[in-house]
C-alpha cells in the first residue's frame, strides 16, 4: 500500500526558532500534498496545497511567510514554521495524493512552542 | 449545511454491538464523500470514497451509504470489536477543486 512518512512525530522548540516538518511518500510519487492543522477537539483544517515544482496554494487566513511550504520533489514536501510562537503550538499532519481520489496521510507532528 | 458535521462526537459500545454514525455535508456542488479511520498514534486510513447518490460500499464489517440530495452519509459497523476503536472522520469534496473539508470525527471505543 501507499505509505506517507512524516517526521518528526513531536517537537518542542523555543519561541522565535524555526521548525521544519517533513512529509515523504515512500512508495509512490505524490503529485499533490496537503498540509493540515488540528486544534484540540476540532477538525483537520487545510492550511495549504503543495504541488511539486510550483508554489503552494495557501488557504485564506494562513500566513505564507509564517508557514513555508516546499515541494521540491514528487516524494517530499516540507513545512517550516518560521519564528515559532506559543500560538503556533498545534498538531500538524500531511497527506498525499497519487492522482486518484483517496488521500494517504502521515502520522502527524505535535509541535509545542515554549 | 455549510460545514461537515459528524455525530455523535463519541460513542462507547460493547463488543459485538452494531453501531452507526452520521456525517452531514453541503449537498450543493457535491463531488465526493470520504471516510477515514484514525487509530491513536497512527495515520488516518481511507475506508471509502463515495460519489454517487444512493451508493453503498462495504469493507468487511464496515459499510457506508450516501445521500447526496439531502447531504448525509452513514457509516455502519456490524459486530464491533475492540480493534474497531478509533476516530472515524468524514470529509466532503465539492466540485471545482481538490480540497477536502473534514468533520470533527466520531470517536468510537469498543469495550470488552
Amino acid at each position: 500500500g501507499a505509505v506517507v512518512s512524516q517526521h518528526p512525530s513531536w517537537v518542542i522548540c523555543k519561541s522565535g526558532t524555526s521548525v521544519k516538518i517533513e512529509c515523504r511518500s515512500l512508495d509512490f510519487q505524490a503529485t499533490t500534498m496537503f498540509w493540515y492543522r488540528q486544534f484540540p477537539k476540532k477538525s483537520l483544517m487545510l492550511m495549504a496545497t503543495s504541488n511539486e515544482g510550483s508554489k503552494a496554494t495557501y488557504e485564506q487566513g494562513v500566513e505564507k511567510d509564517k508557514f513555508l511550504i516546499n515541494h521540491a520533489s514528487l516524494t517530499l514536501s516540507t513545512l517550516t514554521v518560521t519564528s515559532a510562537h506559543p500560538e503556533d503550538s498545534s498538531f500538524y499532519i500531511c497527506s498525499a495524493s497519487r492522482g486518484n481520489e483517496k488521500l494517504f496521510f502521515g502520522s502527524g507532528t505535535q509541535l509545542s512552542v515554549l | 449545511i455549510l460545514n461537515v458535521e459528524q455525530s455523535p462526537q463519541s460513542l462507547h459500545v460493547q463488543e459485538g454491538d452494531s453501531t452507526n454514525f452520521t456525517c452531514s455535508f453541503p449537498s450543493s456542488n457535491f463531488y465526493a464523500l470520504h471516510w477515514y479511520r484514525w487509530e491513536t498514534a497512527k495515520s488516518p486510513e481511507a475506508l471509502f470514497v463515495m460519489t454517487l447518490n444512493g451508493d453503498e460500499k462495504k469493507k468487511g464489517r464496515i459499510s457506508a451509504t450516501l445521500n447526496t440530495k439531502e447531504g448525509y452519509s452513514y457509516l455502519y459497523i456490524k459486530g464491533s470489536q475492540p480493534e474497531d476503536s478509533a476516530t472515524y472522520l468524514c470529509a466532503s469534496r465539492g466540485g471545482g477543486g481538490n480540497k477536502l473539508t473534514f468533520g470533527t470525527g466520531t470517536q468510537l471505543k469498543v469495550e470488552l
Side-chain angles (χ1 to χ4, degrees):
Chain A
V3 177
V4 174
S5 175
Q6 184 173 342
H7 292 282
S9 298
W10 57 270
V11 57
I12 301 172
C13 69
K14 291 182 179 179
S15 187
T17 60
S18 294
V19 174
K20 181 185 281 189
I21 302 170
E22 289 191 349
C23 181
R24 292 181 185 271
S25 56
L26 297 185
D27 51 359
F28 68 100
Q29 293 184 328
T31 53
T32 305
M33 288 186 173
F34 302 91
W35 287 95
Y36 301 86
R37 182 174 181 175
Q38 186 182 36
F39 293 102
K41 306 287 186 184
K42 300 293 185 183
S43 59
L44 295 177
M45 183 188 76
L46 181 66
M47 298 175 66
T49 301
S50 168
N51 294 294
E52 187 267 339
S54 63
K55 290 184 179 180
T57 303
Y58 289 81
E59 294 299 302
Q60 191 174 8
V62 178
E63 299 176 60
K64 61 181 180 181
D65 294 330
K66 159 69 84 175
F67 300 101
L68 297 179
I69 290 173
N70 185 285
H71 194 158
S73 75
L74 282 170
T75 59
L76 174 65
S77 177
T78 59
L79 168 67
T80 301
V81 183
T82 62
S83 187
H85 291 282
E87 58 265 29
D88 298 324
S89 298
S90 191
F91 182 80
Y92 296 87
I93 191 168
C94 68
S95 68
S97 168
R98 289 195 299 193
N100 59 0
E101 189 60 40
K102 67 181 179 182
L103 297 180
F104 301 93
F105 282 86
S107 54
T109 298
Q110 183 66 51
L111 170 63
S112 296
V113 184
L114 304 177
Chain B
I1 294 174
L2 298 178
N3 295 316
V4 177
E5 297 171 359
Q6 291 188 248
S7 63
Q9 188 173 22
S10 65
L11 194 56
H12 286 233
V13 301
Q14 297 295 122
E15 183 180 12
D17 288 349
S18 293
T19 187
N20 64 85
F21 336 126
T22 304
C23 173
S24 301
F25 55 88
S27 57
S28 61
N29 199 30
F30 171 83
Y31 183 84
L33 192 282
H34 295 219
W35 281 102
Y36 292 86
R37 171 191 149 91
W38 193 358
E39 289 182 71
T40 302
K42 294 188 178 179
S43 307
E45 176 189 352
L47 289 172
F48 306 111
V49 178
M50 308 171 78
T51 57
L52 299 176
N53 184 45
D55 204 4
E56 186 170 338
K57 295 208 172 182
K58 189 175 180 182
K59 186 177 182 178
R61 293 179 291 98
I62 305 176
S63 60
T65 60
L66 180 67
N67 183 321
T68 61
K69 295 187 187 304
E70 296 182 42
Y72 64 84
S73 175
Y74 294 135
L75 187 81
Y76 300 92
I77 301 179
K78 185 178 178 182
S80 302
Q81 299 296 310
E83 57 265 31
D84 295 328
S85 298
T87 295
Y88 291 83
L89 298 175
C90 74
S92 173
R93 177 181 162 185
N98 60 0
K99 182 171 72 169
L100 286 179
T101 301
F102 283 84
T104 53
T106 292
Q107 188 174 19
L108 172 68
K109 186 170 175 58
V110 182
E111 296 166 341
L112 294 169

